[in-house]
Amino acid sequence: MVAKRIIPCLDVKNGRTVKGINFEHLQDVGSAVELGKFYAREGADELVYLDISASDEERSTFTSLVEEIALGINIPFTVGGGISSIDDASRLLDAGADKITLNTAGVYNPGLIDEIARKYGNQFVVVAIDAKMSEDDGLWHVTTHGGRRFTDKELYSWAREAEQRGAGEILFTSMNHDGTRQGYPCEAFARLSREVSIPIIASGGAGSVDDIAKVLTEGCADAALAASIFHYGEISIGDLKKQLSEKGITVRL
């Protein structure tokens, strides 16, 4: 059986790792480079770095940071935030990133997924989907700009299109659950795993070992992405993996 992956997520602003609730009320939780090194030593399978201040003036800073990360860690890492062209993707991959994520740009310019996948291969492209469940119609609506703007896309149909266009993985974040540490919406993840054949990374809501265990089993996710429980030292990655293994979940120890 393929091992499930544990992936710490580092939201980066001005070179520092920050964390909030629903992408708001951000608090500094440490150096992006040093935290990455720490998580690699702890046994993380991969890392995800998201540049949440991806303005033009910050892009050169983030590229330099990616170069520093690549020199400092020995596990795969994915970067995203503000990637809106093939040149943006090339700059970060050339700087040492193993994969890039497309979110807003993919929604508004789906052909960019095709373009990057053709040039670099599907394995380099992760499509990040931030979706919010509407109480009005019960549908998962795709959002952009940290969940603040709704689009005309729906989670499952957009995930299928992204796969067809060349996405190698889907990173689905429930904006209803992000930062709340109240658990993942496992039914949504389980359905998503049935709708597409590429790996699913679960994001948004990890608050305990049980939450992660459930999304990897009941939710059928291939990987669990979390931030708060790692950043605030609530559990180490080594302890998490040990407990997951004791629950019968295959992980790399």
Side-chain angles (χ1 to χ4, degrees):
M1 181 179 290
V2 177
K4 303 287 189 176
R5 291 171 288 153
I6 302 300
I7 307 175
C9 179
L10 297 89
D11 293 336
V12 178
K13 185 173 184 178
N14 303 321
R16 303 287 294 180
T17 304
V18 296
K19 186 57 187 168
I21 297 177
N22 304 126
F23 294 166
E24 297 180 350
H25 310 297
L26 301 177
Q27 297 179 351
D28 188 308
V29 292
S31 160
V33 175
E34 293 307 314
L35 267 178
K37 291 179 181 179
F38 174 74
Y39 290 142
R41 292 194 300 268
E42 284 266 294
D45 297 296
E46 299 181 19
L47 298 171
V48 169
Y49 285 90
L50 298 178
D51 180 9
I52 65 171
S53 58
S55 58
D56 289 338
E57 61 268 21
E58 293 295 339
R59 285 180 177 164
S60 61
T61 300
F62 190 63
T63 303
S64 298
L65 183 66
V66 169
E67 293 173 344
E68 192 175 350
I69 293 165
L71 291 173
I73 68 171
N74 59 358
I75 59 174
F77 71 100
T78 301
V79 297
I83 296 173
S84 59
S85 68
I86 188 74
D87 289 340
D88 290 337
S90 298
R91 174 172 45 80
L92 295 169
L93 291 168
D94 291 344
D98 295 280
K99 297 178 251 185
I100 58 95
T101 68
L102 288 176
N103 192 332
T104 299
V107 170
Y108 294 113
N109 178 19
L112 183 59
I113 301 171
D114 306 71
E115 190 177 1
I116 297 173
R118 278 197 302 269
K119 181 171 182 179
Y120 290 101
N122 300 44
Q123 71 273 20
F124 289 93
V125 184
V126 179
V127 170
I129 303 177
D130 296 339
K132 185 175 288 187
M133 164 72 83
S134 169
E135 294 182 359
D136 295 332
D137 57 17
L139 298 177
W140 285 92
H141 296 272
V142 176
T143 67
T144 61
H145 299 82
R148 293 185 296 275
R149 297 186 188 178
F150 284 86
T151 73
D152 61 356
K153 296 185 183 296
E154 178 268 340
L155 169 63
Y156 304 109
S157 60
W158 172 228
R160 291 193 300 269
E161 180 181 345
E163 178 182 21
Q164 292 165 1
R165 289 182 176 277
E169 291 182 279
I170 298 291
L171 168 55
F172 165 36
T173 300
S174 164
M175 296 308 299
N176 304 76
H177 298 76
D178 179 71
T180 65
R181 296 190 279 182
Q182 297 296 309
Y184 302 86
C186 290
E187 290 184 6
F189 281 102
R191 177 178 170 185
L192 186 59
S193 75
R194 297 192 298 269
E195 296 276 351
V196 299
S197 60
I198 54 179
I200 304 297
I201 304 170
S203 170
S208 68
V209 174
D210 284 343
D211 291 338
I212 292 174
K214 285 180 180 179
V215 82
L216 295 176
T217 53
E218 295 174 20
C220 304
D222 300 276
L225 180 144
S228 298
I229 62 171
F230 298 139
H231 296 341
Y232 298 131
E234 295 178 21
I235 190 169
S236 70
I237 293 172
D239 286 343
L240 169 62
K241 285 189 164 186
K242 180 180 178 181
Q243 292 185 49
L244 291 175
S245 180
E246 290 171 351
K247 292 176 181 290
I249 298 170
T250 303
V251 292
R252 297 183 185 90
L253 296 172

